[in-house]
Amino acid sequence: MKTNQIIHIALIALVSYGFFGALYISYQNLQGHACPHLLSIPVCYIVLAAYGAMLLSLLIPHKGCKHHFFSMGWGAAFVIALLASIAEFFTEGAVCPVAGSGSMRAGSDLSTGIPTCYISLILLVAILALFIKGPYKKVCELPEEQNS
């Protein structure tokens, strides 16, 4: 198997993990578990859409769209994960849902799980590194007329 194929499979696996994690938390939100809101929109829905855009970018063959969808999705998810992680850290919890339960925890009781914003932040850094090493590098090496 070529290195590019391994990177592509790893990217799809990591983005799928993020997508299905956000889907699970969004489902839990529909069941009544709290999901933080941005204005009146649950943040978990925004993160789900962002991971969905990244996943689509890996499945769409058009190289120009690949970078646009990926960049929009990754940027939105990263900003949310970063800001939520900072808020989670400085407010000692109760900002992000915790892994495994999909619900919010009260205070700083870390024994109930890892905040999903921390997981998403680490996941997004790994996804970006793989994207730059794989699809982005591949497109940058193409002649200019094939990039559009």
Side-chain angles (χ1 to χ4, degrees):
M1 206 183 287
K2 293 181 183 178
T3 304
N4 278 342
Q5 289 174 326
I6 293 170
I7 289 173
H8 190 72
I9 290 169
L11 264 172
I12 289 175
L14 290 177
V15 173
S16 295
Y17 178 79
F19 178 79
F20 286 109
L23 183 64
Y24 175 75
I25 293 171
S26 296
Y27 175 74
Q28 290 296 317
N29 186 62
L30 290 173
Q31 300 300 314
H33 295 284
C35 181
H37 285 69
L38 181 63
L39 302 174
S40 63
I41 303 169
V43 173
C44 49
Y45 299 164
I46 298 169
V47 172
L48 178 63
Y51 274 105
M54 285 187 283
L55 192 56
L56 279 175
S57 78
L58 297 173
L59 302 175
I60 293 174
H62 190 272
K63 290 163 187 54
C65 288
K66 179 180 293 287
H67 291 99
H68 295 297
F69 279 113
F70 182 85
S71 297
M72 289 185 304
W74 187 87
F78 182 77
V79 166
I80 290 169
L82 180 64
L83 294 177
S85 294
I86 291 169
E88 179 78 20
F89 182 77
F90 285 110
T91 61
E92 297 179 358
V95 173
C96 302
V98 291
S101 70
S103 63
M104 304 295 283
R105 68 181 185 288
S108 61
D109 182 14
L110 292 177
S111 64
T112 59
I114 299 170
T116 55
C117 50
Y118 294 166
I119 295 168
S120 188
L121 188 61
I122 292 167
L123 187 65
L124 287 162
V125 170
I127 288 169
L128 180 64
L130 287 172
F131 187 81
I132 289 172
K133 182 116 174 106
Y136 183 76
K137 182 179 177 183
K138 183 179 176 183
V139 169
C140 288
E141 292 172 351
L142 291 174
E144 185 61 35
E145 61 274 356
Q146 290 181 345
N147 274 338
S148 53

